[in-house]
Every structure is written in structure tokens, then in C-alpha cells.
Amino acid sequence: MGSRIIGTGKAVPATSLTNHDLERQLETSDEWIRSRTGIASRYLMRTGEALLDIADEASRRALDKAGIKAGELDAIVAGTVSSEYAFPSFACQVQRTLGVSTIPAFDVAAACSGFIFALAVADNAMRAGVWKKVLVIGADALSTMVDWSDRRTAVLFGDGAGAVVLVNEPGPRGVLETLLRSAGEAWDLLSLRATGIRASADSELRRDGADTLKMRGPELFKIAVKSMADITRQVVERAGVTLEEVRVIVPHQANIRILNAVADRLGIPYDKVFINLDRYGNTSAASVPIALDEAWEAGRFCDNDLVLLNACGGGLTWGASLLRW
Ligand code: ACO
């Protein structure tokens, strides 16, 4: 008994900001951002927008594509660190907007790896026969948590949400293997003292300096490359397949240099890795489900192809999931 993704959906804020737009508010350049990160533009939350509405839209799209009504769901699991509330959970808030009652809804906090962790929780419960239809969401709005005067972090992040519908299904298709890892001893490489969406890029309000996202970028870069490459190799080995057999890797979209370095370590061609970070930036837990939705729409894989998801982020956390589509 396993679980299979039968619907995906994504949604982003209305406003896309280019690197040239950022040049007007920060001491940075399009050339620096593109060459160091691969990012050209990103969608950013503006004052008055709510991540909850964006996650609701992504969830409804995933449900539509799956042909499943919200009322049929057995659970909602959200990977996020961006809820406006410490409680209720973000998943409970989405549960209300979707008009579903009684089923369990809860969050998984693993920063940029949040979607992979949430997917693993759902898949394991479905393997155990606990749930049959589950909505898994990845949603974040880190642009509202950075220090907008700090060019080292402000240019990296975008906001958005992605969602998938998983159904319990016997047979060879679905989630084959998932591996999760954490290294709490390195949590201070990427951290945010207080959560909550309080300062969009356009708002007058600024977060207190101590409450903005803190990142040790160059150290994180090296760990991200090693951890994403290692976990990718391990998950493929555990599933008893080879990397050559994998049709496409849909990774967390942090930085093109990280993704190219992971591909180099794995000895795979760059075009095996789906990239959309040029238009989205790093959307944290939303990046894998947004990319999966786009890769599917773009015909980057077909039924029965092997699709590999991987991510690394604050915690530190990292993980990979191998799917037979
Ligand atoms: N525009 C112009 N100059 C900048 C900018 C900017 N936006 N940001 C930094 N610089 C300057 C720095 O001030 C520094 O100048 P200096 O040498 O005069 O002091 C110079 O550029 C180099 O800075 P570094 O931080 O060493 O640049 P680096 O090449 O390491 O790139 C980056 C920085 C892009 C953040 C890189 O370290 C990285 O991608 N790290 C991974 C971080 C990441 O992806 N975090 C996301 C969350 S974790 C995850 O998702 C995996």
C-alpha cells in the first residue's frame, strides 16, 4: 500500500519584482544576482495579501486536477514556517478556507525542506493504512521576514504555495522511497527568531533587526551541495534503481550554482534537473511543489517515469523522495 500524487497546483502573489526593480531599492545589480544565484525575478507578497489565500488557491487547483472534492480528504499536512499565527496551524487555517471539518490538519516545520518532510509524513500514514486521500501543501513567504536593507538575503527569496493531492493506491506507481535528515547542531546557519508575516517589502513597518532572517550563506552553500547530492544518491540506492533511470530531478530551487554543483557531484547532465528559480527565487517549502506542478505541465515526465524530489534548508534539514509517476 503506497501513495501516489494525482493532482498538483500552485499559486503566487500578484506582483513580480525583477532584479532591476531591486536595484532601485538596494545596493545590488541584476548582474550580481543573476551570476551568483540564477534569479531574475520573484513574486513578492504586498501589504494586504495573505499567504493563506495563496495556499487556498494552490490547494483548490491541486484538488481540481485530482478530481477530488475537499470533503473527501482524510488529512491536510502543510510544510510551512510562515503562518501568521503560532496557532492555529496553517493547515487548520486552510482547512477552514476549504470548508472541510473534523479531519486532522497540522503543520510540519522544516523550512525549505518542509514539503518533502510533509510528503513523507503523509506517505507513511498512508502506507500504514491510516489515510486514503491527503492534501500536502508547501507554502512560505520569507520575503516578509528578511531585513530589506540586507542585500545578502533580500534578493534571494520569493513567496508562494504549491500543493499536491495524494491517494492511497496499491501497485507500482507512487512514492517509492523517502529519506529525511536533520543536523540541529548547525541550526544557526539559517534561522529566524520569530515567525509571522509582518513586513512585506512595500510596507512601512519593519521587523526588529533580531527578528529578521539570519543566514551564513557561503557555509550553507557548501553543506547544501553535499547534503543534496548525498541524499539523492542514497534514496536512489535504497529504491534499487540508478540515477540514469531517473527521468527528472525536481529540486528545491535555492540557487542555480548549488543545483549545478549537485549535478556535477552526481555526474548527471544539467538538463536532467528542472529549474524555475529564475522566475520564482527561493520560495522555501513552496519551491518543490511549485516546480513539480510546472514540470508536469511542461511535459518533463510521463506516467511511470521516475521523478526525484530533493531539498535542503534551515534546521538544518534535508531530504529526498523518489516517485514513480
Ligand atoms: N548584490 C551585490 N553584492 C552583494 C549582494 C547583492 N545582493 N550580496 C552580497 N554581495 C557582496 C557581499 O557584500 C560581498 O562583498 P565583499 O566581498 O565586498 O564583502 C560579495 O558580494 C561576496 O559575498 P558572498 O556572501 O561571499 O557571496 P557568495 O558568492 O557566497 O554568494 C550567496 C552569496 C548567493 C548567498 C551564496 O552564498 C549562496 O547561495 N548561499 C546559499 C544560501 C541559500 O541558498 N540560502 C537559502 C536558504 S538555504 C537553502 O535553500 C539551501
Side-chain angles (χ1 to χ4, degrees), residues 27-29 32-33 36-37 112 151-152 155-157 190 215 217-218 220-221 224 252 254-255 257-258 282 312-313:
E27 201 184 311
T28 189
S29 67
W32 193 96
I33 302 171
R36 300 290 176 120
T37 71
C112 299
R151 64 181 184 174
R152 291 171 304 127
V155 303
L156 302 177
F157 298 99
L190 182 61
M215 185 180 85
L220 207 50
F221 188 103
H252 167 50
N255 180 316
R257 287 160 56 222
I258 292 179
N282 178 346
C312 170

Side-chain angles (χ1 to χ4, degrees), residues 56-324:
D56 175 75
E57 196 180 327
S59 301
R60 287 176 191 275
R61 287 188 177 151
L63 286 162
D64 277 355
K65 219 187 254 186
I68 281 185
K69 293 195 174 30
E72 295 174 56
L73 292 170
D74 297 310
I76 301 172
V77 187
T80 186
V81 289
S82 303
S83 180
E84 280 183 73
Y85 292 83
F87 62 88
S89 68
F90 191 74
C92 280
Q93 296 169 57
V94 175
Q95 181 178 24
R96 177 150 118 176
T97 66
L98 291 178
V100 197
S101 65
T102 322
I103 61 166
F106 57 92
D107 295 350
V108 172
C112 299
S113 313
F115 177 77
I116 304 266
F117 275 57
L119 185 71
V121 169
D123 176 57
N124 282 320
M126 293 169 89
R127 281 176 196 279
V130 180
W131 302 324
K132 289 192 164 39
K133 292 174 184 163
V134 181
L135 177 68
V136 179
I137 301 166
D140 269 318
L142 295 192
S143 88
T144 65
M145 301 173 190
V146 292
D147 173 355
W148 272 97
S149 63
D150 175 12
R151 64 181 184 174
R152 291 171 304 127
T153 51
V155 303
L156 302 177
F157 298 99
D159 307 328
V164 303
V165 174
L166 280 173
V167 292
N168 188 250
E169 190 178 279
R173 295 171 66 190
V175 180
L176 302 182
E177 279 293 343
T178 303
L179 289 176
L180 306 178
R181 303 274 187 265
S182 301
E185 70 274 15
W187 70 258
D188 54 350
L189 293 188
L190 182 61
S191 63
L192 180 71
R193 198 173 73 154
T195 56
I197 296 168
R198 296 184 192 98
S200 303
D202 66 334
S203 68
E204 297 283 306
L205 192 69
R206 287 282 160 248
R207 287 172 78 95
D208 187 71
D211 291 339
T212 54
L213 184 142
K214 304 281 178 264
M215 185 180 85
R216 288 170 28 205
E219 287 159 271
L220 207 50
F221 188 103
K222 288 184 201 131
I223 294 178
V225 172
K226 183 174 179 341
S227 60
M228 281 172 77
D230 287 352
I231 202 88
T232 298
R233 223 182 262 294
Q234 288 160 8
V235 83
V236 160
E237 272 170 25
R238 259 180 81 116
V241 300
T242 63
L243 268 171
E244 288 69 37
E245 291 173 78
V246 173
R247 177 69 187 269
V248 63
I249 295 180
V250 181
H252 167 50
Q253 309 280 319
N255 180 316
I256 191 68
R257 287 160 56 222
I258 292 179
L259 298 182
N260 287 347
V262 170
D264 288 344
R265 261 183 185 246
L266 294 172
I268 58 169
Y270 294 164
D271 64 6
K272 205 185 211 78
V273 182
F274 183 77
I275 305 287
N276 67 1
L277 62 86
D278 48 325
R279 286 170 292 123
Y280 292 91
N282 178 346
T283 57
S284 187
S287 87
V288 171
I290 289 176
L292 185 64
D293 183 67
E294 283 207 338
W296 193 10
E297 294 271 311
R300 286 293 300 268
F301 51 83
C302 307
D303 286 358
N304 294 305
D305 278 345
L306 288 174
V307 178
L308 194 146
L309 316 178
N310 60 19
C312 170
L316 297 179
T317 55
W318 62 103
S321 188
L322 184 69
L323 322 174
R324 185 167 296 281

Side-chain angles (χ1 to χ4, degrees), residues 14-31 33-34 39-44 46 148 151 154-155 157 201-202 278-279:
T15 312
S16 172
L17 240 74
T18 65
N19 294 343
H20 294 295
D21 293 327
L22 290 181
E23 282 173 353
R24 286 192 275 279
Q25 46 185 295
L26 278 170
E27 201 184 311
T28 189
S29 67
D30 176 56
E31 196 283 326
I33 302 171
R34 273 182 202 264
I39 299 166
S41 61
R42 71 289 286 146
Y43 294 90
L44 296 185
R46 311 305 272 176
W148 272 97
R151 64 181 184 174
V155 303
F157 298 99
D202 66 334
D278 48 325
R279 286 170 292 123

